[in-house]
């Protein structure tokens, strides 16, 4: 089943060389570079094989997504350790803890040395992806921020339907806060972050924390998040956006994650549909121009803005899934920018709720 993976890896070597050449081209080569990036990442798209034998093909698609780490060659060496946490009486999830210091030393930090923590949720349509596929991203964030990162391998669809992943994400955040002493982190400086479906879970965990009045979350970092169910927007239909994630595959993922239209309209599945977005933590939202999720990401920024949430927008002329992929135009820069935005939030002390309520401005940063 995995023979075609070997062919993909062979193509990867040649494509990397070509991509470096294209990076040196002037603006005239921009569309060609985007086209190559799109074609290249689709070599790792296992969804196209899903037909009659869905469960077997999902395993293959998961395998292929794990191989995408080969597109990230700037992976720093940091300390890491896996830990299993109980999320209900029957099942558990695995978290991977990353730190610039040995994991066993974290519990010995003095009170004045406690650091912020980034709880990261991987993307993959709630179906693919795992802590291995996003290992490089988490290592970079650890290295660039100096903060502890906890990557969460939540239970995935279609075996586990909504709201399992959402509840796993929320419980993982609670576990991090409960174990703040052994992790050497400040329980009031918690960041929830994620890409695509992981961005959805970051937004949802922030919303659940607000609605259930615990724990305290300081910042949500949403990287091209899924927030609007099966809603059709112009960006879903634009031909240039049909790359690693297409309009059809977006719907495929939603049908694997949810069981009804009521699920798709739940604010804990589609946070855009929440009654209110007030009193949510400050946000950094990354938007890709050539992405079927672009318009719903913009809509969520506007919803946060109406709720008085201090929101910073980072926008890049790149494709869905580019974050952390060195083969794409802004994959490396975006990770650096996200890390810098997280560090700056805590250097500034983080805006108070009163400041958020008074400010409706969105700090838009365009990378082009």
């Amino acid at each position: 089943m995995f023979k075609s993976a070997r062919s993909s890896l062979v193509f990867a070597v040649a494509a990397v060389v070509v991509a470096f050449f294209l990076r040196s081209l002037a603006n005239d080569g921009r569309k060609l570079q985007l086209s190559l990036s799109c074609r290249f990442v689709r070599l790792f798209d296992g969804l196209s094989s899903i037909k009659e034998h869905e469960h077997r093909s999902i395993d293959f698609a998961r395998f292929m997504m794990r191989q995408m780490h080969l597109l990230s060659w700037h992976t720093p060496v940091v300390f890491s350790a896996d830990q299993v946490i109980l999320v209900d009486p029957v099942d558990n999830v695995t978290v991977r803890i990353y730190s610039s210091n040995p994991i066993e030393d974290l519990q010995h930090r003095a009170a004045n040395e406690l650091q912020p923590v980034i709880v990261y949720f991987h993307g993959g349509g709630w179906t693919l992806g795992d802590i291995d596929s996003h290992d490089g991203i988490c290592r970079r964030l650890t290295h660039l921020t100096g903060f502890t990162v906890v990557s969460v391998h939540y239970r995935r669809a279609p075996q586990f339907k909504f709201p399992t992943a959402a509840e796993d994400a929320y419980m993982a955040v609670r576990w991090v806060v409960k174990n703040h002493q052994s992790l050497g982190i400040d329980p009031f400086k918690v960041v929830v972050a994620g890409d695509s479906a992981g961005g959805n879970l970051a937004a949802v965990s922030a919303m659940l924390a607000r609605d259930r009045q615990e724990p305290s979350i300081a910042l949500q970092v949403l990287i091209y998040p899924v927030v609007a169910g099966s809603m059709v927007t112009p960006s879903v239909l634009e031909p240039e956006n049909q790359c690693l994630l297409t309009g059809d595959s977006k719907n495929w993922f939603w049908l694997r994650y949810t069981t009804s239209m009521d699920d798709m309209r739940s604010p804990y599945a589609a946070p855009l549909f929440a009654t209110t977005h007030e009193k949510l933590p400050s946000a950094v939202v990354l938007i890709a121009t050539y992405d079927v999720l672009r318009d719903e990401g913009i809509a969520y920024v506007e919803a946060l803005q109406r709720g008085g949430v201090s929101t910073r927008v980072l926008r890049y002329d790149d494709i869905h899934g580019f974050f952390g992929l060195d083969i794409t135009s802004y994959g490396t820069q975006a990770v650096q920018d996200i890390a810098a935005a997280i560090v700056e939030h805590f250097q500034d002390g983080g805006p108070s709720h009163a400041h958020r309520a008074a400010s409706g401005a969105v700090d838009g940063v365009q990378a082009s």
Side-chain angles (χ1 to χ4, degrees):
M1 179 174 65
F2 301 136
K3 288 183 178 179
S4 61
R6 296 178 181 176
S7 298
S8 296
L9 301 183
V10 172
F11 281 120
V13 177
V16 166
V17 174
V18 175
F20 270 117
F21 169 74
L22 287 175
R23 279 177 178 269
S24 66
L25 295 178
N27 291 335
D28 291 342
R30 183 74 186 105
K31 290 184 179 179
L32 181 60
Q33 185 173 347
L34 283 168
S35 176
L36 176 66
S37 296
C38 183
R39 289 176 183 273
F40 184 42
V41 297
R42 292 187 80 170
L43 291 173
F44 294 83
D45 178 15
L47 279 183
S48 58
S49 67
I50 296 179
K51 293 180 180 178
E52 296 180 2
H53 306 289
E54 179 165 304
H55 289 290
R56 186 176 68 186
S57 297
I58 286 176
D59 288 339
F60 173 71
R62 288 171 174 170
F63 169 80
M64 289 301 290
M65 189 165 184
R66 283 195 295 273
Q67 308 317 303
M68 289 187 74
H69 72 86
L70 295 172
L71 309 186
S72 301
W73 49 84
H74 295 146
T75 304
V77 176
V78 298
F79 296 95
S80 65
D82 290 358
Q83 186 161 340
V84 175
I85 63 175
L86 191 68
V87 292
D88 65 33
V90 178
D91 287 308
N92 52 51
V93 301
T94 299
V95 297
R96 181 169 294 168
I97 304 164
Y98 300 86
S99 174
S100 299
N101 303 110
I103 304 301
E104 58 272 17
D105 292 347
L106 298 182
Q107 61 184 320
H108 301 303
R109 283 179 178 158
N112 61 351
E113 296 176 337
L114 299 180
Q115 295 181 338
V117 61
I118 303 168
V119 184
Y120 196 91
F121 307 107
H122 63 79
W126 308 281
T127 305
L128 314 178
D130 54 31
I131 54 178
D132 291 327
S133 64
H134 286 63
D135 183 74
I137 288 175
C138 292
R139 289 180 183 276
R140 289 195 202 189
L141 290 174
T142 303
H143 175 72
L144 291 168
T145 63
F147 300 160
T148 299
V149 174
V150 178
S151 181
V152 182
H153 185 35
Y154 51 87
R155 289 173 290 177
R156 297 171 295 181
Q159 292 87 350
F160 296 95
K161 296 280 193 176
F162 171 82
T164 301
E167 292 293 346
D168 284 356
Y170 173 68
M171 290 298 295
V173 177
R174 289 190 63 194
W175 178 87
V176 167
V177 172
K178 180 179 179 180
N179 292 275
H180 69 274
Q181 290 183 325
S182 62
L183 294 173
I185 58 101
D186 188 330
F188 298 103
K189 294 183 178 179
V190 177
V191 180
V192 290
D195 60 285
S196 196
N200 168 281
L201 296 177
V204 167
S205 60
M207 196 166 286
L208 283 168
R210 178 199 65 182
D211 295 346
R212 297 176 182 177
Q213 300 182 339
E214 66 165 336
S216 173
I217 294 178
L219 181 68
Q220 52 182 322
V221 177
L222 315 178
I223 300 163
Y224 33 73
V226 190
V227 292
S230 59
M231 184 174 73
V232 178
T233 63
S235 64
V236 172
L237 304 175
E238 292 170 2
E240 60 268 30
N241 299 345
Q242 312 304 311
C243 190
L244 187 62
L245 181 69
T246 67
D248 288 342
S249 60
K250 174 193 171 187
N251 289 333
W252 185 91
F253 283 124
W254 273 109
L255 291 173
R256 295 322 176 268
Y257 183 49
T258 59
T259 56
S260 67
M261 287 302 297
D262 286 343
D263 284 352
M264 287 191 188
R265 300 288 299 185
S266 167
Y268 302 138
L272 181 62
F273 301 138
T275 304
T276 178
H277 295 88
E278 296 178 354
K279 298 182 180 179
L280 287 170
S282 299
V284 176
V285 183
L286 183 151
I287 293 172
T289 298
Y290 303 102
D291 182 3
V292 296
L293 302 180
R294 181 194 66 216
D295 291 344
E296 61 188 81
I298 293 172
Y300 200 63
V301 168
E302 293 170 348
L304 292 172
Q305 185 177 12
R306 288 192 298 271
V309 177
S310 176
T311 306
R312 182 177 184 183
V313 179
L314 302 176
R315 181 163 176 167
Y316 302 85
D317 290 340
D318 219 319
I319 60 176
H320 183 86
F322 81 96
F323 186 74
L325 301 184
D326 296 311
I327 190 67
T328 62
S329 300
Y330 299 107
T332 301
Q333 178 185 332
V335 178
Q336 294 170 344
D337 292 346
I338 285 291
I342 294 172
V343 172
E344 288 169 9
H345 177 82
F346 293 107
Q347 285 178 339
D348 295 339
S352 66
H353 174 66
H355 173 75
R356 294 200 304 268
S359 174
V362 171
D363 177 16
V365 178
Q366 174 77 34
S368 57

